[in-house]
Amino acid sequence: MSPKFLRIAVVLGLLSAIGPFAIDMYLPALPSIGTDLHAGTAAVQMSLLIFFLSMGFGQIVVGPISDMVGRKLPLYGGLALFMAGGIGSAMAPTIEWLIAFRFLQGLGASAGMAIPRAIVRDLHTGNEAARLMSLLMLVFSVSPILAPLTGSQIIENFGWRAVFWTVTGAAVLATILLATSLKETRPAEERVGSSFGTALAGYRFLMGDRNFLGLVSIAGFGIASFFVYLSSSSFILIDHYGLSPSVYSVFFSINAVAFIGMSQLTGLLSERFGLKRVVWVAVTGYATTMVALFAIMASGVDRLDVMAALLFVGYGFLGLVIPTTSVLAMEEHGEIAGTASALMGTLHFAIGALAMGVAGVFFDGTPLPMVAGITLCAVISFALAKVTLGRSRDAVEAPAE
């Protein structure tokens, strides 16, 4: 593996991680934000939900722009918006102002979510793209491991506002890396003919592509199950199970380790068994594990160790689903990679935000509604995989020679 390959993976991973970093790092602060700003649980969760929505739907615009003007300029603009939103969030006097600045911050983060996937498609396809995507996710996944741990320490020593100053500093670092370590991957000659009109035509085409929509939705409901966990876990683990913010961060990071570890096997398994077979096995394993967890907890077993063990196994399977479905969905759409990546990201976050909203309605401070939401998303992902990939042998590609 060449140093250039690794350098690109590191830079793209860090750019992709800026948005999740602004989520994971402040999760341990949700209860204290509510206390400090005199806001209820629903209002505090709205500051998380609005970030997801703006980060998701912002991709609809920034993806086609990256097809028209290149990849780097929209990334600079997104990072600038992110920094402005971070500074505003750090200084927010009320929950309403926090929600408004989180919206702005999410818009900025949308560039870091959509454009790195397009850059991967600019550079590679097939198993090489899967290998680069898994490396990108290795760097990207530093966020759910280190961010809650770092965030809890910052919150305990400096208060929740310091979290937003920290993520703003991370955006400054990302800007420097973008300027010094990443070349433009969509040259001027490839932008000819790209416009908002062609973007709209591209969106219409993609919305009629059942294979693309199926693959995106498989990952979308997998990601949604994690969003349900994100929105409820701090309240459940800290308030219901009595964990400290620091211990909560460790618990949260354990699931990220499973996700990261398995995602790094994507390239190897795809070369041996084929991308579609890896997706099918991973989705089946994830759904089975989550159904088992729901059945156990619905029977009256309310034990943190049981939930931790099965979530660890489940999120390991999920670590194989996300990179493989992303590569398969983008495979045939290199000419409109930015647009395809944008629609993919928007659908992922729209499904996730919907799942978070529904889960919030049923939230009662106990783990069962959260587990039920995770399980429902996993089962839907399994059903979509069954339809999209099909039962026949033809639907599961042969291993690479």
Side-chain angles (χ1 to χ4, degrees):
M1 192 174 298
S2 69
K4 180 181 177 181
F5 195 89
L6 289 172
R7 186 183 71 250
I8 291 171
V10 168
V11 175
L12 294 182
L14 289 174
L15 288 167
S16 300
I18 290 296
F21 198 65
I23 298 168
D24 302 333
M25 197 170 181
Y26 103 127
L27 286 177
L30 292 180
S32 61
I33 289 173
T35 301
D36 188 41
L37 298 182
H38 309 290
T41 299
V44 175
Q45 286 182 322
M46 179 56 69
S47 70
L48 180 63
L49 177 59
I50 200 69
F51 184 90
F52 276 110
L53 287 172
S54 61
M55 184 164 62
F57 286 99
Q59 295 180 57
I60 283 287
V61 176
V62 76
I65 289 174
S66 77
D67 283 339
M68 289 184 280
V69 304
R71 309 304 185 197
K72 292 188 70 172
L73 185 60
L75 282 170
Y76 284 126
L79 287 166
L81 278 179
F82 182 90
M83 287 184 275
I87 292 170
S89 296
M91 302 174 69
T94 65
I95 191 64
E96 291 79 13
W97 277 107
L98 178 63
I99 291 171
F101 281 115
R102 288 287 282 172
F103 177 82
L104 181 64
Q105 193 180 37
L107 285 179
S110 66
M113 297 302 297
I115 297 176
R117 284 192 301 263
I119 292 174
V120 170
R121 180 57 185 80
D122 288 342
L123 298 173
H124 300 287
T125 59
N127 292 329
E128 281 298 300
R131 191 181 298 277
L132 179 56
M133 191 72 75
S134 65
L135 279 172
L136 185 155
M137 292 189 68
L138 175 62
V139 181
F140 171 86
S141 298
V142 167
S143 175
I145 290 180
L146 296 184
L149 293 169
T150 306
S152 64
Q153 292 301 313
I154 291 173
I155 292 160
E156 289 177 6
N157 290 286
F158 304 103
W160 63 268
R161 295 179 187 275
V163 167
F164 292 106
W165 291 114
T166 304
V167 298
T168 301
V172 172
L173 175 61
T175 304
I176 295 171
L177 288 173
L178 174 62
T180 59
S181 302
L182 187 67
K183 293 182 178 180
E184 179 59 60
T185 61
R186 188 169 175 84
E189 60 270 17
E190 293 183 9
R191 304 173 207 161
V192 176
S194 294
S195 66
F196 281 112
T198 58
L200 290 174
Y203 282 134
R204 286 196 297 269
F205 173 75
L206 292 168
M207 290 300 292
D209 186 339
R210 293 183 180 181
N211 185 63
F212 176 84
L213 292 178
L215 289 164
V216 168
S217 298
I218 292 167
F221 278 96
I223 292 171
S225 69
F226 192 66
F227 284 3
V228 171
Y229 177 71
L230 281 177
S231 65
S232 302
S233 61
S234 61
F235 295 101
I236 291 170
L237 297 178
I238 293 173
D239 295 337
H240 180 73
Y241 286 115
L243 301 185
S244 69
S246 296
V247 176
Y248 161 74
S249 300
V250 173
F251 183 94
F252 187 88
S253 299
I254 288 172
N255 292 324
V257 168
F259 184 92
I260 295 168
M262 291 301 292
S263 71
Q264 294 314 293
L265 298 177
T266 300
L268 177 64
L269 293 175
S270 298
E271 287 177 2
R272 183 168 182 180
F273 300 108
L275 285 165
K276 290 183 180 178
R277 190 183 298 275
V278 172
V279 173
W280 176 248
V281 172
V283 170
T284 302
Y286 184 47
T288 302
T289 305
M290 293 301 100
V291 168
L293 174 59
F294 175 73
I296 291 169
M297 300 204 76
S299 70
V301 177
D302 186 3
R303 290 179 50 178
L304 180 58
D305 58 342
V306 172
M307 185 171 71
L310 289 175
L311 284 176
F312 180 84
V313 174
Y315 287 132
F317 282 115
L318 188 60
L320 291 172
V321 175
I322 309 304
T324 48
T325 52
S326 296
V327 169
L328 284 169
M330 298 280 289
E331 193 77 28
E332 302 300 323
H333 303 296
E335 293 297 318
I336 52 170
T339 301
S341 178
L343 182 58
M344 178 190 301
T346 297
L347 291 176
H348 284 173
F349 279 89
I351 295 169
L354 176 63
M356 285 173 60
V358 173
V361 171
F362 292 97
F363 179 79
D364 63 359
T366 67
L368 190 58
M370 179 186 75
V371 171
I374 293 172
T375 303
L376 179 60
C377 289
V379 170
I380 293 173
S381 185
F382 169 80
L384 288 167
K386 192 170 185 178
V387 171
T388 303
L389 302 180
R391 292 183 177 181
S392 67
R393 283 188 171 184
D394 292 338
V396 180
E397 63 187 9
E401 295 295 336

